[in-house]
Amino acid sequence: AGGAGRRYYFPRPGRPVSFEDSPDWGDDITVDAAGAAHDSSSSSIHLASASAASSAYPSPSPSLPGPSASGSGFRERKVAGAALVWKELSVSVRDGRRPGRVVRGSSGYALPGTLTVVMGPARSGKSTLLRAISGRLRGAERMYGEVFVNGVKSPLPYGSYGYVDRDDVLIESLTVREMLYYSALLQLPGVFSSKKSFVEDAIAAMSLGDYADKLIGGHCFTKRLPTGERRRVSIARELVMRPHVLFIDEPLYHLDSVSALLLMVTLKKLASTGCTVIFTMYQSSTEVFGLFDRICLLSNGNTLFFGETLACLQHFSNAGFPCPIMQSPSDHFLRAINTDFDRIIAMCKNLQDDQGDFSSVSMDTAVAIRTLEATYKSSAEAASVESMIAKLIEKEGPYLKSKGRARDAARIGILTWRSLLIMSRDWKYFWSRLVLYMLLALSIGTIFIDIGHSLSSVVVRISAMFVFVSFLILLSVCGVPAHIDEIKIYSHEDSNRHSGTLVFLLGHFLASIPFLFLVSISSSLVFYFLIGLRNEFSFLMYFIITIFMCLLANEALMMIVAYIWLETYKCTLTLICLYVIMMLVAGYFRIRDAIPAAVWDYPLSYISFHTYAVQGLVENEYVDTSFAVGATRTIPGVQAVRGSYGISSSAGAKWMNLLVLLLMAIGYRVVLYVLLRLDVRRHVRLGRRSCWPSIHTSAAPK
């Protein structure tokens, strides 16, 4: 099929990622100049990406160099990595909207040093098959069949594989090198200094040297990282583990043709080091298609072909669907098996144009799919695949061991430091809130300045404190986008087992303390002295700590809402509604004893942190004080306040309010821990898809 005059692409030798700790199949397996691997029994197994028959679809691009016809550019080397085999693999989904089998009886293999692509139209089961092979199926998905790793029926252990999701979830305020370095610290055990070489190898493998010290999200003077380079960073994040197998869901998602070709050439170079690369793809250009070694073609969950890429062209030709000249093979495949083209042709029946322009297949798509499936099952290629699978699982290769991971204490420290760095750089976290809080404190302080300390000033001072606390909390909604980003980053790292729920919550909590205390003390000092509250250090510190505890509890509530919705508009609307309700039942507009008991007093007024914050501040200001009434008579401050706000006369009552705020800050985080730990969003989303958007790691099956 190749022809002597055809040109094939082969990767140039370059600096690869080192996989020294990858297991070998054994000293008796080598790769010859033709790219075939031979064992002691002289059975031929195609393992290397150098095989012209397995990876060399002719490329018309003159910019892609090819080797000489003699193949003298190849050298004999060991093949390291892991061989994956899936046999009669089926996946069913227990979903109200899409029940039944998503993948049906698929069999195939992916070998070290090769690129294996799972291709098919939308909703054909590509991503589901990839998740099944990698052992990352969701709760509603059930797998039937067998998956072998180096001939051993066992799941892939931690550290032996990397999984790259379709959507890039990156930390915008970090540089590429920092992003990979913190990822290495979270994933790998051992001392920090030894992990730098892993990061540099990953940067070199993905050709990110020119972007290593650039911010991923950019800033006011530089642009954000291009889409192609962002995709490379996502892949490099998994390469710091030096995996034996790399899974990628849609590596060319949202990439233009040039970026797609550059990325695939990079992956080809990566595979040449011995790494097993398997990925999904919807469509590709002719140049990109020429880089694939093997293709698994799916339609509606059925395997229409598995084998070498050139053999797939022959398979379509044998079934009566030869690929037209000057047409991309992947375009031809998808037009033959994608039922959406039937609707396009039906819509154009009234047009005078030739209908052959819309599809290169003359028969109905459903008939074409059945013909291709039947042709494949009876073909020599299918028998060859079964024979190859039998050989691969006949002899057990080296068992992949877990590479270990960083200790939880170390990961908490790493996440805390990383969060501090992110918060210090990203204005969405606390700097915007600091500016708004200072403006709020100045505004309220200057409006209520010089109100005096007479009996008539009590109501005005209480109003000032209530407005300050309420608007301080209300303005915190500007931090919602940052919390949504945090949840998405956690979801990605947790799904790849780089982090954990408790590690994430403790790291975020410890990192937020200095920033929350900074905004608390700065805004409180301005407000406190402009209003003219009690001029004693102990009362000032209580005021600051109360504001700090209130913001700490509010931060946890914002995280809960951000986790529930994951959309800025819905989160903001929900929080504003909650804050307004909390303000109404806090005892300012109507004393709590007079609020209707059902719902408003209990439980709403008891779960409002406005209630305890304002009540504690009022008690801090007026307990153990008195006001002169006339020339000789005085009344206690508590009595003066009770007409407009309900407080306790006990000197320790304010500390009880502070304790309640602390318990609320802890309690909200416990609720968030339970939600994250049980992955409540996933279970609720399965029943109510329209109301619960998915996180990037839970994209709809394709």
Side-chain angles (χ1 to χ4, degrees):
R6 299 287 185 92
R7 301 188 65 196
Y8 300 91
Y9 171 74
F10 297 96
R12 290 179 176 176
R15 184 191 176 201
V17 175
S18 59
F19 293 94
E20 336 40 76
D21 50 352
S22 300
D24 296 333
W25 273 108
D27 295 334
D28 55 342
I29 298 181
T30 59
V31 180
D32 59 21
H38 304 279
D39 60 14
S40 57
S41 62
S42 300
S43 60
S44 177
I45 301 177
H46 294 279
L47 289 177
S49 61
S51 173
S54 64
S55 66
Y57 183 80
S59 171
S61 174
S63 61
L64 296 178
S68 61
S70 64
S72 58
F74 307 113
R75 61 186 178 87
E76 189 172 317
R77 66 175 176 87
K78 286 186 177 181
V79 176
L84 287 179
V85 173
W86 60 97
K87 185 177 180 182
E88 293 298 324
L89 190 64
S90 298
V91 179
S92 63
V93 178
R94 298 177 182 177
D95 190 339
R97 291 200 170 195
R98 194 188 175 192
R101 297 271 173 121
V102 181
V103 179
R104 300 178 182 90
S106 177
S107 297
Y109 53 89
L111 300 175
T114 63
L115 295 180
T116 303
V117 59
V118 181
M119 187 176 286
R123 299 175 299 278
S124 61
K126 303 187 300 294
S127 297
T128 304
L129 177 60
L130 193 73
R131 290 196 304 272
I133 299 171
S134 61
R136 291 166 57 98
L137 289 177
R138 301 166 190 158
E141 298 171 337
R142 294 292 182 269
M143 186 185 80
Y144 307 92
E146 299 174 308
V147 177
F148 298 86
V149 183
N150 285 350
V152 181
K153 187 179 178 181
S154 66
L156 287 163
Y158 175 80
S160 65
Y161 74 99
Y163 191 98
V164 183
D165 290 296
R166 182 179 62 175
D167 297 312
D168 299 320
V169 181
L170 305 174
I171 303 176
E172 304 283 318
S173 53
L174 296 181
T175 65
V176 171
R177 181 173 277 110
E178 289 170 343
M179 180 79 191
L180 299 181
Y181 184 57
Y182 282 114
S183 181
L185 294 178
L186 287 174
Q187 297 180 57
L188 298 169
V191 296
F192 292 171
S193 58
S194 64
K195 302 174 185 179
K196 291 184 178 180
S197 62
F198 291 73
V199 174
E200 296 304 321
D201 284 346
I203 290 174
M206 286 291 104
S207 303
L208 289 168
D210 294 337
Y211 300 90
D213 296 314
K214 293 184 178 181
L215 288 175
I216 295 173
H219 52 73
C220 54
F221 300 109
T222 61
K223 296 181 180 179
R224 70 197 303 263
L225 216 61
T227 306
E229 278 61 38
R230 294 172 68 90
R231 199 73 179 122
R232 292 169 184 264
V233 175
S234 297
I235 298 173
R237 177 166 52 186
E238 300 304 317
L239 292 183
V240 296
M241 286 290 287
R242 294 178 176 173
H244 309 307
V245 185
L246 182 63
F247 299 93
I248 312 176
D249 193 7
E250 293 283 358
L252 307 186
Y253 189 59
H254 284 331
L255 298 189
D256 58 74
S257 58
V258 176
S259 299
L261 181 58
L262 289 174
L263 178 58
M264 289 310 303
V265 170
T266 305
L267 290 178
K268 190 72 174 179
K269 183 181 71 173
L270 174 65
S272 69
T273 67
C275 181
T276 305
V277 182
I278 178 171
F279 53 93
T280 64
M281 189 171 293
Y282 175 76
Q283 199 170 14
S284 71
S285 64
T286 303
E287 292 86 351
V288 170
F289 185 82
L291 300 177
F292 303 154
D293 295 298
R294 289 176 184 85
I295 179 172
C296 178
L297 195 62
L298 297 180
S299 180
N300 296 325
N302 298 312
T303 302
L304 305 186
F305 178 82
F306 180 86
E308 297 174 355
T309 51
L310 288 181
C312 189
L313 285 170
Q314 186 62 47
H315 168 64
F316 270 71
S317 180
N318 294 339
F321 313 120
C323 181
I325 300 174
M326 302 300 294
Q327 184 173 9
S328 169
S330 65
D331 288 344
H332 175 65
F333 297 159
L334 291 178
R335 288 196 178 193
I337 65 177
N338 193 345
T339 55
D340 292 336
F341 281 100
D342 289 341
R343 295 201 300 267
I344 296 175
I345 296 174
M347 292 170 60
C348 300
K349 280 184 177 180
N350 296 329
L351 299 180
Q352 296 179 357
D353 296 338
D354 183 13
Q355 301 305 313
D357 292 338
F358 296 99
S359 179
S360 56
V361 181
S362 58
M363 67 176 65
D364 181 79
T365 303
V367 177
I369 292 173
R370 290 195 296 269
T371 303
L372 287 166
E373 185 178 6
T375 303
Y376 172 68
K377 288 181 178 179
S378 61
S379 67
E381 191 69 30
S384 175
V385 171
E386 292 181 2
S387 175
M388 184 65 175
I389 290 176
K391 290 179 182 178
L392 289 173
I393 65 178
E394 180 182 6
K395 177 183 177 182
E396 292 187 0
Y399 181 77
L400 298 184
K401 297 180 180 180
S402 176
K403 297 182 179 180
R405 66 181 72 191
R407 294 177 300 172
D408 286 344
R411 291 195 292 173
I412 291 172
I414 293 163
L415 282 179
T416 302
W417 185 254
R418 188 182 73 176
S419 297
L420 284 171
L421 183 61
I422 296 170
M423 293 173 186
S424 65
R425 292 180 180 176
D426 195 343
W427 64 270
K428 291 185 297 184
Y429 276 86
F430 291 108
W431 299 120
S432 59
R433 291 165 65 178
L434 177 61
V435 173
L436 291 175
Y437 286 0
M438 292 297 293
L439 291 175
L440 175 68
L442 283 170
S443 301
I444 299 176
T446 51
I447 290 173
F448 292 94
I449 197 171
D450 295 331
I451 57 178
H453 295 276
S454 63
L455 185 60
S456 60
S457 68
V458 171
V459 176
V460 179
R461 187 171 276 107
I462 293 175
S463 299
M465 287 188 284
F466 177 80
V467 171
F468 178 70
V469 171
S470 299
F471 279 88
L472 208 65
I473 296 172
L474 191 61
L475 289 176
S476 64
V477 296
C478 65
V480 164
H483 291 310
I484 293 176
D485 291 343
E486 288 174 335
I487 294 295
K488 289 182 178 180
I489 292 169
Y490 157 77
S491 299
H492 176 271
E493 293 181 340
D494 183 64
S495 63
N496 284 2
R497 299 165 65 186
H498 299 169
S499 180
T501 305
L502 186 60
V503 170
F504 163 71
L505 290 178
L506 287 177
H508 177 267
F509 171 73
L510 295 175
S512 64
I513 287 177
F515 287 94
L516 288 176
F517 193 76
L518 174 64
V519 297
S520 299
I521 194 172
S522 57
S523 57
S524 296
L525 287 174
V526 174
F527 174 83
Y528 196 90
F529 290 107
L530 284 177
I531 297 297
L533 301 179
R534 298 176 73 170
N535 193 17
E536 293 184 28
F537 181 76
S538 59
F539 295 110
L540 171 63
M541 287 306 301
Y542 179 87
F543 188 97
I544 293 173
I545 293 174
T546 298
I547 297 298
F548 171 71
M549 287 297 175
C550 189
L551 293 180
L552 205 61
N554 177 57
E555 203 74 11
L557 177 62
M558 290 174 62
M559 291 286 286
I560 292 175
V561 175
Y563 172 74
I564 292 174
W565 291 120
L566 280 179
E567 293 182 15
T568 302
Y569 173 76
K570 291 182 179 180
C571 291
T572 303
L573 187 63
T574 302
L575 286 170
I576 289 176
C577 292
L578 290 175
Y579 293 155
V580 170
I581 292 174
M582 289 180 178
M583 290 166 60
L584 292 175
V585 299
Y588 172 76
F589 297 102
R590 191 175 184 184
I591 297 176
R592 289 180 65 189
D593 295 338
I595 295 177
V599 180
W600 298 108
D601 182 36
Y602 183 83
L604 290 181
S605 68
Y606 286 87
I607 62 175
S608 169
F609 34 78
H610 295 66
T611 302
Y612 305 100
V614 177
Q615 186 171 319
L617 295 180
V618 173
E619 290 170 348
N620 182 60
E621 181 67 18
Y622 291 109
V623 171
D624 295 333
T625 61
S626 60
F627 292 93
V629 180
T632 58
R633 183 168 170 263
T634 61
I635 61 171
V638 174
Q639 183 178 345
V641 171
R642 277 181 177 170
S644 56
Y645 202 90
I647 62 173
S648 173
S649 59
S650 171
K654 66 178 184 180
W655 299 107
M656 185 59 65
N657 287 311
L658 190 62
L659 177 62
V660 172
L661 287 175
L662 175 61
L663 293 177
M664 292 180 76
I666 297 173
Y668 280 131
R669 282 173 171 80
V670 171
V671 172
L672 179 60
Y673 173 82
V674 173
L675 293 175
L676 293 174
R677 187 68 176 175
L678 299 180
D679 201 1
V680 174
R681 293 191 80 261
R682 182 184 66 186
H683 295 92
V684 176
R685 187 178 63 253
L686 292 175
R688 302 180 62 185
R689 287 179 179 271
S690 60
C691 298
W692 289 73
S694 62
I695 307 181
H696 70 284
T697 55
S698 302
K702 300 189 303 172

